[in-house]
Amino acid sequence: MSIPIRVLIVEDSEDDAMLLVQELRREGYDPTYERVDTPEAMTAALDRQTWEIVFCDYTMPHYSGTSALKLLRARDPDIPFIFVSGTIGEDAAVEAMKNGANDYIMKDNLKRLIPAIKRELREAEMRRSHALAEETIQHMAFYDTLTGLPNRNMLYDRLLNAIRTGGDKGRPMALLLMDLDHFKEINDTLGHHRGDVLLQQVGSRLQGALRPTDIVARLGGDEFAVMLPLSGSGDAALVAKKIQKALELPFMIEGLPVAVEFSIGVALYPDHGANPDSLMQRADVAMYAAKTTGEGYLLYEARHDRHSPRRLALIGELRWAIERSQLLLHYQPKISLKTGRVIGMEALVRWQHPEHGFIPPDQFIEPAERTGLIKPLTRWVFDTAQKQCLTWHRAGYEFTTSINLSARNLHDTQLPDELAGLLRECGGRPDRLQLEITETAIMADPARALEAITRLRAIGIRFSIDDFGTGYSSLGYLKKLPVDEIKIDRSFVINMAKDPSDVMIVRSTIDLAHNLGLKVVAEGVENKETYDRLGKLGCDAAQGYYMARPMPAENLTRWLAESPWGLNLR
Ligand code: C2E
Ligand code: CA
Ligand code: CA
């Protein structure tokens, strides 16, 4: 079986071109080739089809190799270009490589030809897949995969841009936040798939109802946002009515009419906030007020702030909870996909509230961040987890323990010293600990993140980037961070068994991370298919309900002894 290859030969001598072609055929290639020896002919050949590789003589009567190289590189930086020449001198050759030639081969030494081709084709392929992966990840960072709409990052960027370029006068604009009423019930009744279809239809109706210059974004779940320039103060109300009108008619989901209602909250720039965060927060407060009053649509007013309810009451109790040890840690194993054994445990905090029962971290981490309580909370988590880690090591388990840090922790300049102190007190080993920090937290203040990570790294603690794929992925920046691992966000992993586009995202993330020398953990592995698939994709480790849910340390002792992923110490 010969290997097809498309070769463009820039060469004045038909005989020399034939020699090349024969050499290719002898080595098992089946070349489709064309010989050209003028710029016009070369341009025409490049227009006619794509070539996999270009060979070029250095000196020709009507054309110079250097010009041919320039002509090619102006059109395509990636196609391998190899000089094949009888005359090229060492200096000229070096110069040619500098200008973008991939290699040069002497006509009387064609032995080097085939290895050079193989290498160049392989490298061109790697450049292509690398570029593709970068593109996918860039896209992922700014667009919502379900609806194709801009995501929260993109919206944030646009808001910031509009505010910055609006100048001092501050060109007015409105931010509308909306979410579907009772989406959870709808989702549970219709099933997730139909819920997704509904969200897609909502997205396209919104876009259809608005001007192309207005930005419609999906923020996640059933939350959408619209950002629009204002010309008069009544504009925002008009738009909100237009949106309500557009969503009034029932949606047809697999032939079934589904009616949905929305609550819309509006905040105006510059009246209600001077930056994206405060605008978002106030639109959110207005939306919440719209929901509780059943108003459908509300413009932010200061009195709405009072309505932001239970969350605030809880904060008062959180300080107490930390002191009275109402907090506890569950641990979730991390499994190596190479050995099929546990290699780490992630500590996840819970709040055992005397009245409200079990409160998940999603409900108190964020308020703890806003109020500064995150500091004592993190200190408690770190201390408790590292002691547990030590207990496991004394029992003979070699795995690492991971602790989650939040964005605010990075602002805490005392943290590295404090953590080092806690470790010293108990004689814990820093290299057995790993800190997880979300991509979003890092990108919120990259300079500070780099500093904090570098200082903690210096103690010997390793880092992992959490929820990868949901934040700004400035890859150039990631390369600079002294991190060891990324964790692909569970939103991409959960549907892998059903959704090929998620597989594609996961695959490119793995390839890219490996190219940067990082290990990859997939979280949210809920079934065997996904587990097996990840192994085949070369992913290093996995976490998820399929192998183990987060559980108290006591229960893990049993899990370690009995689970197929556990470790038998005897
Ligand atoms: P995370 O760091 O991404 O943690 C993983 C979350 O995914 C956990 O939720 C875990 O229970 C859940 N999970 C694990 N496997 C699966 C699966 O197969 N399917 C699904 N659907 N979910 C899975 P949890 O414990 O509710 O924690 C939520 C978030 O709260 C964490 O997300 C983390 O960002 C934060 N968090 C938890 N503990 C701490 C902490 O001590 N400090 C800080 N700063 N944040 C914490
Ligand atoms: Ca985590
Ligand atoms: Ca995560």
Side-chain angles (χ1 to χ4, degrees):
M1 261 286 284
S2 43
I3 310 158
I5 183 169
R6 295 184 306 279
V7 190
L8 181 62
I9 307 175
V10 188
E11 168 69 80
D12 61 306
S13 147
E14 181 67 32
D15 288 350
D16 285 356
M18 279 322 290
L19 274 177
L20 264 181
V21 170
Q22 272 163 16
E23 184 67 18
L24 284 168
R25 290 203 176 116
R26 187 170 36 239
E27 295 291 337
Y29 284 96
D30 172 18
T32 308
Y33 70 98
E34 209 171 305
R35 182 181 67 83
V36 294
D37 60 358
T38 62
E40 296 75 31
M42 181 167 170
T43 306
L46 289 170
D47 285 340
R48 246 191 313 277
Q49 62 165 301
T50 54
W51 302 94
E52 284 166 276
I53 195 159
V54 177
F55 294 113
C56 184
D57 193 1
Y58 192 65
T59 34
M60 294 166 280
H62 309 293
Y63 200 16
S64 87
T66 323
S67 315
L69 174 59
K70 270 207 196 106
L71 190 137
L72 179 75
R73 284 293 170 252
R75 300 176 53 125
D76 188 310
D78 273 346
I79 303 181
F81 181 103
I82 299 181
F83 277 119
V84 182
S85 163
T87 56
I88 194 168
E90 200 68 28
D91 290 345
V94 169
E95 195 54 33
M97 307 289 278
K98 270 197 205 139
N99 290 328
N102 297 74
D103 203 351
Y104 71 96
I105 285 163
M106 305 301 280
K107 278 185 180 168
D108 51 15
N109 184 12
L110 286 182
K111 275 204 306 295
R112 278 191 53 228
L113 183 71
I114 299 300
I117 293 177
K118 286 194 175 136
R119 183 194 65 230
E120 290 308 327
L121 290 180
R122 194 171 58 234
E123 283 180 7
E125 176 56 34
M126 267 176 64
R127 283 194 295 272
R128 256 194 304 279
S129 71
H130 202 116
L132 190 70
E134 287 242 7
E135 216 173 90
T136 316
I137 292 200
Q138 284 306 335
H139 192 264
M140 234 158 81
F142 291 103
Y143 290 89
D144 166 48
T145 35
L146 179 66
T147 59
L149 292 174
N151 65 11
R152 191 184 285 275
N153 293 334
M154 169 88 117
L155 178 73
Y156 192 94
D157 254 24
R158 288 300 170 87
L159 282 168
L160 202 61
N161 240 319
I163 291 171
R164 282 194 184 140
T165 55
D168 296 337
K169 279 190 286 324
R171 199 165 300 144
M173 58 181 175
L175 175 67
L176 285 77
L177 280 194
M178 66 191 88
D179 75 10
L180 280 72
D181 297 340
H182 315 296
F183 181 68
K184 197 179 170 311
E185 284 93 323
I186 297 176
N187 219 6
D188 289 348
T189 327
L190 295 178
H192 284 278
H193 170 66
R194 294 195 191 93
D196 283 355
V197 175
L198 175 63
L199 292 172
Q200 284 167 337
Q201 292 192 11
V202 168
S204 47
R205 273 205 207 172
L206 280 174
Q207 263 187 322
L210 298 165
R211 300 205 194 111
T213 44
D214 301 340
I215 291 171
V216 178
R218 175 168 176 244
L219 304 185
D222 59 342
E223 257 199 320
F224 292 85
V226 177
M227 165 190 160
L228 50 116
L230 293 180
S231 40
S233 59
D235 269 16
L238 277 180
V239 171
K241 293 221 177 71
K242 215 156 92 180
I243 290 176
Q244 280 176 318
K245 187 123 198 81
L247 303 174
E248 218 168 56
L249 283 180
F251 291 84
M252 294 304 285
I253 311 289
E254 295 178 5
L256 217 72
V258 179
V260 287
E261 287 183 353
F262 280 82
S263 302
I264 306 178
V266 185
L268 303 180
Y269 173 82
D271 305 10
H272 298 146
N275 58 54
D277 285 324
S278 58
L279 282 172
M280 292 277 235
Q281 199 239 332
R282 297 207 147 157
D284 188 60
V285 166
M287 180 178 84
Y288 189 83
K291 202 177 271 291
T292 37
T293 55
E295 208 86 22
Y297 150 77
L298 275 181
L299 187 63
Y300 170 81
E301 286 173 52
R303 67 183 170 87
H304 295 151
D305 284 333
R306 273 184 288 133
H307 287 290
S308 293
R310 205 180 84 148
R311 291 202 205 169
L312 294 178
L314 278 179
I315 305 283
E317 298 179 40
L318 184 56
R319 185 182 308 276
W320 219 67
I322 299 169
E323 286 161 11
R324 303 291 172 94
S325 49
Q326 281 176 12
L327 297 183
L328 62 143
L329 290 183
H330 281 186
Y331 295 86
Q332 186 177 33
K334 183 158 85 181
I335 313 295
S336 158
L337 286 163
K338 309 279 181 298
T339 63
R341 299 288 161 182
V342 56
I343 48 168
M345 294 285 181
E346 176 177 2
L348 294 157
V349 68
R350 275 95 183 82
W351 181 0
Q352 188 66 54
H353 191 283
E355 287 154 45
H356 305 305
F358 221 52
I359 306 179
D362 289 338
Q363 287 188 25
F364 62 90
I365 293 291
E366 201 255 339
E369 284 209 288
R370 272 191 281 119
T371 53
L373 279 174
I374 194 72
K375 260 191 194 190
L377 186 144
T378 304
R379 207 179 308 124
W380 179 85
V381 170
F382 184 90
D383 195 38
T384 313
Q386 68 119 349
K387 282 178 182 148
Q388 180 59 51
C389 177
L390 209 58
T391 310
W392 274 322
H393 290 154
R394 294 201 174 120
Y397 295 108
E398 290 289 320
F399 43 71
T400 57
T401 300
S402 307
I403 293 130
N404 292 282
L405 286 191
S406 81
R408 271 290 284 273
N409 290 136
L410 293 181
H411 295 205
D412 178 359
T413 45
Q414 293 155 352
L415 187 78
D417 291 339
E418 270 180 19
L419 299 190
L422 290 175
L423 273 171
R424 239 187 341 263
E425 274 170 34
C426 313
R429 277 180 47 181
D431 61 336
R432 297 247 164 106
L433 291 173
Q434 200 163 19
L435 294 176
E436 296 190 2
I437 177 131
T438 65
E439 193 191 0
T440 322
I442 293 174
M443 297 321 289
D445 190 347
R448 214 194 287 255
L450 176 61
E451 194 194 315
I453 294 176
T454 309
R455 285 181 59 196
L456 285 159
R457 210 33 253 235
I459 311 174
I461 299 180
R462 287 181 306 158
F463 270 87
S464 176
I465 300 179
D466 209 349
D467 299 354
F468 188 83
T470 58
Y472 288 87
S473 328
S474 158
L475 291 164
Y477 186 75
L478 283 190
K479 259 186 265 185
K480 285 190 221 142
L481 289 175
V483 299
D484 306 274
E485 178 182 283
I486 62 163
K487 297 182 77 172
I488 305 180
D489 189 62
R490 57 183 183 278
S491 59
F492 303 110
V493 178
I494 280 178
N495 287 321
M496 268 177 69
K498 277 177 280 169
D499 190 342
S501 75
D502 280 346
V503 176
M504 163 74 186
I505 288 170
V506 169
R507 183 206 305 265
S508 25
T509 309
I510 294 172
D511 291 350
L512 203 93
H514 283 168
N515 272 331
L516 296 177
L518 299 169
K519 292 249 180 289
V520 186
V521 182
E523 52 176 38
V525 178
E526 295 191 347
N527 49 54
K528 183 171 180 340
E529 295 88 273
T530 306
Y531 181 88
D532 292 341
R533 189 70 187 263
L534 285 163
K536 290 206 191 90
L537 291 178
C539 190
D540 302 284
Q543 256 182 312
Y545 294 169
Y546 172 58
M547 297 85 80
R549 289 187 176 251
M551 51 191 136
E554 307 85 81
N555 303 21
L556 275 165
T557 313
R558 191 140 136 230
W559 182 90
L560 281 165
E562 290 174 1
S563 153
W565 293 284
L567 289 171
N568 194 340
L569 287 182
R570 272 168 300 125

